[in-house]
Amino acid sequence: MGLAERINDAVAQSFIGRHFQLDGSGARRERKGTRFLTEVRAGVTVFFAMAYIISVNASIISSSGGTCQCPKTTEDPVCDNDPAYAACIFDLKLQLIMATTIVAMISSALLGVMSNLPIGMAPGMGLNAYFTYTVVGYHGSGKVSYETALAAVFIEGFIFLFLSIIGVRQWFARIIPMSIKVAMGCGIGLYLCFIGLQSSAGIGLVTLDKSTLVTLGGCVDAAKDADGVCKWGHMESPTMYMGLLGLLIISVLLMYRVRGAILIGILFIAITSWPRVSHVTYFPYTPQGDTMFDYFKKVVTVHNMNGVLGKFDFNMQGKDIWIALITFLYVDILDTTGTLYSMARYGGFTDKSGDFEHSTRAFCADALCISIGACFGSSSSTAFVESGAGIAEGGRTGLTAITVALGFCISIFFSPIFASFPPWSTGPALIVVGSMMCSSIRNINWDYPGDAVPAFITLSVMPFTYSIAYGVIGGIIAYIVINGIVYIVDKISGGRVRPDYSKREDWWTNVMGRSFVPHWMLFIKGKVTGNPISWHDDSYLFSDEEDEEEYAQTPDHACSELGATAQNSIDADHSYEMEKIGIA
């Protein structure tokens, strides 16, 4: 037995292994094939895929002006030309780099410990842009102050916590039709790919076009106009080719089933992009490049957070702040619910009704993280779709999230290093993971338009609107309208005018067959009424448990055939991705 096997066995047989349900731990519902070192490797991969949020979130939130005071003038209403204000904004960005790192560390650890899911959390993209440019406004030019907006996010977290405890968020996740749930994962895969193809967090192959919205890019910065449109030099950017090289490296390594293929690709491209003497450097000889390189050279530094920590103003007067609060609520509930479910399905954790184990804990952890993020001066935290990179590397438990948290913990002190991973090093990982997540598209019921059309709307709207929430909304509305009209016509005609229901997906049987009351309420009710139930006697029904039950009830002469069928059915939606990288 090698050293790695001894470490894996020792951890699996410890209390850590039992809590995180590692294979061989003896815990209830062990997660088959999980190994401690595999979880660590997956966590490192997720961390590097998420590391861009350290600098990107700080850049976006600092654009709100934060607590910096802008002496507005007629000639310069947003203080773009005020040196003192610019210095304050730069210091605010350094504070927010620290704040973002700490929030991501706390959030990922909390989610991993509470829900045992291999998902990293951090301040969410999209939500931070809405917070900055719509609510607070560029350099404080909006109708709501930075401090009041943070108070709204803080309150939102506790509203979410209440909704999670009483089971409303879980109920909402379960009643979504199964084809839409599958499409959510595929849509997030396309969304990831779209991010990975852009220049802000990817390789820059796709860029803005004012006529067609997007077009082929790959031009150097000097060839772009003020809006980022390539005027000339398409497909001439050296950094774009570095991103394509990273994509090639990851793809080839995956074909040879090399462990840590995604992580190897990210590190190789990042390290080769750090020297300033190359044409692919992340630190060009420009004022911005000099500033980034000066920060990079510090290697180890810890900055204060005096300007962002606990900056609340609970003055909730005026309709704008309430509109912002309601918007935060519905976008967060759809965004996070969609991401958590899709990652759980991609990891093979969902049961027959579409729920996943520890969902109440996961949603409660998410709610707490929203309020924690506000305490550190940031917008809402959310589950990151980049977690799919870790699941693709074999991450199946909360140890992956704990490793992500440790990565952010280290980056608190080494933030200059971890804030300097260029987007063209992480973009290839997002593209590859997006392709893996789209493989479940074959599980959508394409034979019945009432299922297929809403599912297609879901997966297509997500990347085209740059929003997971809008995709979920579009799919649900389409499902209700299309199937509602068919139902009304069926009833009015007395059943004489109806489609072929035999091809319709029967998703509601398993959903409606379970109580919508949270298990903890049933547990307390049992104690009070004198009919106690076990805390572990939940209503989840996973494929392997169902197969074991059927196996036990099958005559001896049929057991071998049923066992083979059961083995083939376990983790059917996930085995293809795992096999590709040698995990299955």
Side-chain angles (χ1 to χ4, degrees), residues 38 42 57 150 195 382:
T38 301
N57 184 66
L150 288 179
I195 294 173
T382 187

Side-chain angles (χ1 to χ4, degrees), residues 62-65 77-80 85 132-134 136-142:
S62 63
S63 295
S64 69
V78 290
C79 301
D80 278 335
Y85 188 77
T132 297
Y133 300 112
T134 303
V136 180
Y138 177 71
H139 286 184
S141 58

Side-chain angles (χ1 to χ4, degrees), residues 29-67:
R29 290 189 180 129
E30 289 182 2
R31 297 190 176 171
K32 304 301 181 183
T34 52
R35 298 288 185 270
F36 172 71
L37 293 181
T38 301
E39 300 296 318
V40 171
R41 185 183 69 243
V44 173
T45 301
V46 175
F47 167 71
F48 282 114
M50 288 178 59
Y52 72 90
I53 197 62
I54 296 176
S55 57
V56 173
N57 184 66
S59 296
I60 292 176
I61 299 296
S62 63
S63 295
S64 69
T67 52

Side-chain angles (χ1 to χ4, degrees), residues 317-577:
Q317 296 179 358
K319 66 176 183 179
D320 295 292
I321 187 60
W322 289 103
I323 292 174
L325 176 58
I326 294 172
T327 305
F328 282 140
L329 279 170
Y330 90 80
V331 172
D332 259 341
I333 196 169
L334 293 173
D335 197 323
T336 305
T337 300
T339 304
L340 281 175
Y341 173 79
S342 298
M343 292 298 106
R345 179 178 175 81
Y346 184 49
F349 311 134
T350 52
D351 71 352
K352 297 293 185 180
S353 68
D355 201 355
F356 57 92
E357 192 177 13
H358 310 313
S359 59
T360 298
R361 301 183 197 175
F363 289 126
C364 288
D366 166 65
L368 290 172
C369 294
I370 291 173
S371 295
I372 290 172
C375 292
F376 285 89
S378 182
S379 56
S380 303
S381 293
T382 187
F384 261 56
V385 292
E386 285 82 354
S387 303
I391 296 175
E393 286 287 354
R396 304 291 301 282
T397 75
L399 287 172
T400 296
I402 299 297
T403 306
V404 174
L406 289 175
F408 280 111
C409 180
I410 294 172
S411 65
I412 291 174
F413 306 98
F414 293 92
S415 56
I417 300 296
F418 293 110
S420 300
F421 276 74
W424 56 86
S425 69
T426 56
L430 302 184
I431 297 171
V432 170
V433 173
S435 71
M436 293 179 178
M437 294 189 67
C438 285
S439 64
S440 62
I441 198 171
R442 61 184 181 272
N443 296 320
I444 294 175
N445 181 25
W446 296 110
D447 296 328
Y448 186 73
D451 293 325
V453 173
F456 182 76
I457 290 174
T458 300
L459 66 89
S460 59
V461 169
M462 283 187 186
F464 293 150
T465 62
Y466 216 72
S467 170
I468 296 171
Y470 292 155
V472 177
I473 292 172
I476 292 175
I477 292 177
Y479 188 92
I480 293 173
V481 172
I482 293 172
N483 291 283
I485 292 174
V486 171
Y487 176 80
I488 293 172
V489 172
D490 189 349
K491 292 302 180 181
I492 293 176
S493 66
R496 290 185 295 273
V497 181
R498 61 165 55 184
D500 183 6
Y501 286 144
S502 65
K503 296 183 178 181
R504 181 175 56 180
E505 185 176 56
D506 181 12
W507 57 271
W508 54 85
T509 299
N510 285 315
V511 172
M512 300 304 175
R514 281 182 51 187
S515 171
F516 281 89
V517 179
H519 183 67
W520 68 268
M521 289 186 178
L522 297 176
F523 178 79
I524 294 176
K525 178 183 177 182
K527 289 287 188 181
V528 173
T529 59
N531 299 308
I533 62 174
S534 170
W535 179 255
H536 298 290
D537 187 21
D538 54 43
S539 55
Y540 294 109
L541 183 59
F542 297 96
S543 57
D544 52 354
E545 294 176 336
E546 184 180 60
D547 292 329
E548 289 173 2
E549 182 179 349
E550 292 178 0
Y551 184 90
Q553 297 174 357
T554 303
D556 293 341
H557 65 274
C559 278
S560 60
E561 181 179 353
L562 178 61
T565 303
Q567 184 62 36
N568 291 333
S569 67
I570 296 175
D571 292 332
D573 296 337
H574 190 59
S575 60
Y576 179 70
E577 291 85 356

